[in-house]
Amino acid sequence: MKRNLVRYRNSALRKFVRRHQKYAPIIFFIGGFIFDTLTLGRIDRLYDLVVLCLYMSLLTITLYGYNLADDGSWKNTMLERYEEYFPLAIQFFFGGLSSAYVIYFSRSVSLSKTMSFFVILVVLFLANEFLKRRISNKYLQFSVYFFISFTFFTFIIPVFIKEMNTRVFLFSGLASLVCTLVLISIIYVQSLSTRKEIHLGKLMGIIVFMYAIINIFYYFKLIPPVPLAMDTGLVAHNITIEDNTYFVTYERDEWFVFWRGHRIEFIHRPDENVYVFSSIFAPTDLKKSMFHRWTWFNPGTREWETVEDIGYDIMGGRDNGFRGYTYKNNVKEGLWKVQVITEEELVLGVIDFEIIMNPDLEPQRMIEKRF
């Protein structure tokens, strides 16, 4: 035992951690993010489910172990030698679970949803870097844990029960709230140092407040409908289906517009249909009603007017998303926006384009792509 302890104290990893103690937590946080980016694919894949469930379980166990370490609970046990790595493991799991949300929605055409979560990640980075006690601050620690567990449950539960609606979202949030409060209560009872550092009512109040805020965001449709994600969204001149293959004809944008495949200036010809194509990823066997909400910007009132909601049902499981399209032939010139929404009116993606009616113009760079 003594020989192993000496070997551990002289290990390169321990020396590295001590040398870079100031930056180690943020490095491990980013490390968890990068690892998931390279390994995770789709939320209903067995590997992804195992990894995410393992992350969440190990995060919970590590938080428990870390908060009891100051009380000497692991003295003279094999865990004692690993106590200084607990904060790094917590940061790694925080980074890994946070990145999963971004990865599964990075394919969405509505980048605002992904970017909004990146803002939250930046806040986590800054909080961990600039708070005086960093991850040892238990209010920060359990607040981040609750946020991470909330997103985890809203992903995992719909995948397992093959259903996604408001009731499932509320149940997922309640499950994360209960799990977080139970963990806090157990640690509070068993750890004298925790009882000295925090006010239990204050901490639980923060968690309940966060729970309420997230549900308010959901009510006002500011949260994307996890675990759905829109793979493709574009405006097209023609769509045909042959042998379960969608042939979509659209105008390609200039070569330097690398972030968008289709041109948003739609040259409309007389009696031509305007098509909007979308492919939506959903976990295997998950069924959901989706809608294309066609809206037109009225230059007179300076407001967006809803023209029509056109719905269709999707079935999850296809790697490149469930394909669907809607079209209109009685359109006006000007700015248009088609929102891809669920029956609860949660926005999955937005397809913007401008209809131009000019007989002297012809579409250019037309291509036909298979989906």
Side-chain angles (χ1 to χ4, degrees):
M1 177 65 73
K2 290 183 178 180
R3 184 180 302 171
N4 291 336
L5 187 59
V6 171
R7 186 183 300 120
Y8 158 72
R9 287 174 177 171
N10 296 327
S11 67
L13 177 60
R14 188 168 187 264
K15 292 178 180 178
F16 175 84
V17 170
R18 293 205 168 223
R19 190 182 309 117
H20 301 89
Q21 190 171 8
K22 180 179 179 180
Y23 304 105
I26 197 69
I27 292 173
F28 272 75
F29 186 90
I30 298 173
F33 189 95
I34 294 175
F35 180 79
D36 275 0
T37 303
L38 298 175
T39 58
L40 295 182
R42 44 182 288 173
I43 185 62
D44 58 346
R45 191 176 61 166
L46 179 60
Y47 171 82
D48 292 50
L49 291 173
V50 170
V51 167
L52 294 183
C53 290
L54 190 62
Y55 276 1
M56 198 69 224
S57 300
L58 291 177
L59 172 61
T60 304
I61 294 171
T62 308
L63 272 177
Y64 174 80
Y66 174 70
N67 282 281
L68 267 65
D70 289 340
D71 300 279
S73 299
W74 315 123
K75 200 168 185 61
N76 299 322
T77 69
M78 65 175 298
L79 290 179
E80 183 181 8
R81 69 178 69 177
Y82 302 111
E83 285 182 358
E84 67 179 305
Y85 295 124
F86 285 168
L88 306 181
I90 291 171
Q91 291 285 16
F92 180 85
F93 296 135
F94 276 166
L97 288 164
S98 298
S99 63
Y101 190 99
V102 177
I103 291 167
Y104 296 133
F105 280 89
S106 62
R107 298 180 299 175
S108 176
V109 175
S110 181
L111 293 179
S112 61
K113 304 302 179 185
T114 301
M115 290 303 296
S116 65
F117 194 76
F118 269 115
V119 171
I120 296 175
L121 289 179
V122 170
V123 171
L124 293 181
F125 284 141
L126 295 177
N128 280 295
E129 182 62 22
F130 293 110
L131 276 180
K132 186 176 180 180
R133 302 185 67 179
R134 296 194 181 97
I135 200 62
S136 62
N137 184 295
K138 297 185 189 300
Y139 292 104
L140 168 67
Q141 184 184 125
F142 287 109
S143 296
V144 175
Y145 175 82
F146 172 69
F147 177 78
I148 294 299
S149 68
F150 199 116
T151 57
F152 170 79
F153 280 108
T154 54
F155 270 117
I156 292 298
I157 291 180
V159 172
F160 282 133
I161 69 175
K162 315 300 183 186
E163 185 178 350
M164 195 205 82
N165 51 44
T166 300
R167 185 176 67 255
V168 173
F169 179 86
L170 294 176
F171 175 78
S172 302
L174 187 61
S176 67
L177 177 65
V178 171
C179 290
T180 303
L181 294 182
V182 167
L183 177 63
I184 292 173
S185 300
I186 292 174
I187 292 174
Y188 188 82
V189 170
Q190 298 185 9
S191 172
L192 177 61
S193 62
T194 298
R195 291 197 295 272
K196 290 180 178 179
E197 185 174 340
I198 68 170
H199 185 282
L200 184 61
K202 177 182 177 181
L203 178 56
M204 289 192 170
I206 292 174
I207 301 301
V208 172
F209 176 75
M210 291 179 61
Y211 172 77
I213 290 295
I214 295 174
N215 280 278
I216 290 173
F217 271 53
Y218 183 85
Y219 177 81
F220 286 103
K221 305 173 180 59
L222 299 176
I223 296 179
V226 294
L228 302 180
M230 190 164 76
D231 281 335
T232 306
L234 54 86
V235 58
H237 287 267
N238 188 49
I239 297 178
T240 58
I241 305 175
E242 297 179 14
D243 297 328
N244 199 35
T245 299
Y246 285 64
F247 294 86
V248 182
T249 303
Y250 62 96
E251 188 176 357
R252 190 177 65 249
D253 214 324
E254 298 284 357
W255 64 269
F256 52 82
V257 185
F258 58 87
W259 61 89
R260 184 179 59 244
H262 69 283
R263 188 184 182 199
I264 61 174
E265 290 82 13
F266 187 93
I267 308 300
H268 185 266
R269 292 169 290 195
D271 301 322
E272 181 186 30
N273 292 330
V274 179
Y275 295 85
V276 167
F277 173 84
S278 63
S279 61
I280 300 171
F281 170 80
T284 303
D285 295 333
L286 189 149
K287 298 179 181 179
K288 192 67 180 171
S289 295
M290 301 298 300
F291 293 86
H292 281 180
R293 173 166 289 173
W294 291 70
T295 59
W296 173 71
F297 184 74
N298 189 326
T301 62
R302 308 292 298 175
E303 294 181 353
W304 289 96
E305 298 180 355
T306 299
V307 177
E308 188 176 6
D309 287 350
I310 308 176
Y312 59 97
D313 295 330
I314 67 171
M315 170 68 78
R318 187 173 182 270
D319 283 338
N320 295 320
F322 186 96
R323 300 153 298 177
Y325 71 92
T326 60
Y327 67 91
K328 293 189 67 63
N329 51 28
N330 183 19
V331 295
K332 303 176 184 178
E333 189 172 22
L335 299 176
W336 286 79
K337 179 168 60 178
V338 175
Q339 295 178 324
V340 182
I341 60 176
T342 66
E343 54 192 325
E344 296 86 15
E345 298 192 359
L346 296 174
V347 179
L348 186 61
V350 180
I351 303 163
D352 299 289
F353 55 96
E354 180 182 5
I355 294 181
I356 300 174
M357 297 180 178
N358 188 336
D360 297 329
L361 297 178
E362 285 290 333
Q364 300 178 1
R365 297 179 299 278
M366 294 281 283
I367 63 171
E368 182 182 76
K369 187 174 180 179
R370 298 182 179 185
F371 291 91

